[in-house]
Amino acid sequence: MAGNRVVAHYRDGRLVKGTTSDFLPTRDYFHVAPDGGGAPVAVPIGELKALFFVKDLVGDPQHQARNEFDPAKPAPGRKIRVTFKDGEVMVGTTQGYQPGRVGFFVAPADPHSNTERCFVIAAATTEVGFV
């Protein structure tokens, strides 16, 4: 399955890494072809914390995430801060946050993040606010 490299973070802590070509925010589920092969896994959006669209599936374990914007570069979209129910905080930009929707996309503030963008599941958050 060709498509986007993703890491699906479930609310219970499970991860599924692989590629997807059928993710749509308006659907109840999508499929991930696991990294390393195997049959695609059906991923219910309602069980997720977030879906991370990543540069690569390995990432850099030494990278320390920064929730800061580069002052030399203008940030596209509105700056947003998301606090998840598990305590994780993500700062980035969004062009489509609307309360009441299932989720919204965020591009991380950290230009060196492995995450290109993230689809945040609103029900997995405790606080969302513009900064």
Side-chain angles (χ1 to χ4, degrees):
M1 177 188 294
N4 295 296
R5 287 179 298 275
V6 295
V7 178
H9 284 248
Y10 284 80
R11 290 185 210 177
D12 65 7
R14 289 179 292 147
L15 299 177
V16 173
K17 295 181 179 187
T19 57
T20 186
S21 60
D22 68 348
F23 173 78
L24 290 172
T26 56
R27 292 185 49 204
D28 292 336
Y29 69 94
F30 61 99
H31 297 88
V32 174
D35 186 30
V41 176
V43 177
I45 289 178
E47 294 181 18
L48 293 180
K49 166 186 169 179
L51 179 65
F52 292 83
F53 292 80
V54 296
K55 296 172 186 167
D56 67 66
L57 294 172
V58 177
D60 178 3
Q62 303 302 317
H63 178 70
Q64 296 294 318
R66 294 180 25 220
N67 280 330
E68 301 170 359
F69 292 95
D70 182 344
K73 295 182 182 177
R78 293 189 69 183
K79 294 178 181 178
I80 195 165
R81 177 185 171 99
V82 177
T83 304
F84 290 96
K85 289 182 178 178
D86 66 4
E88 180 182 358
V89 174
M90 175 186 285
V91 175
T93 58
T94 188
Q95 295 182 359
Y97 172 69
Q98 290 184 4
R101 286 194 175 172
V102 170
F104 54 96
F105 283 100
V106 174
D110 183 353
H112 303 292
S113 173
N114 187 45
T115 302
E116 294 178 324
R117 63 188 172 129
C118 174
F119 186 73
V120 174
I121 308 303
T125 67
T126 57
E127 187 176 354
V128 176
F130 294 110
V131 293

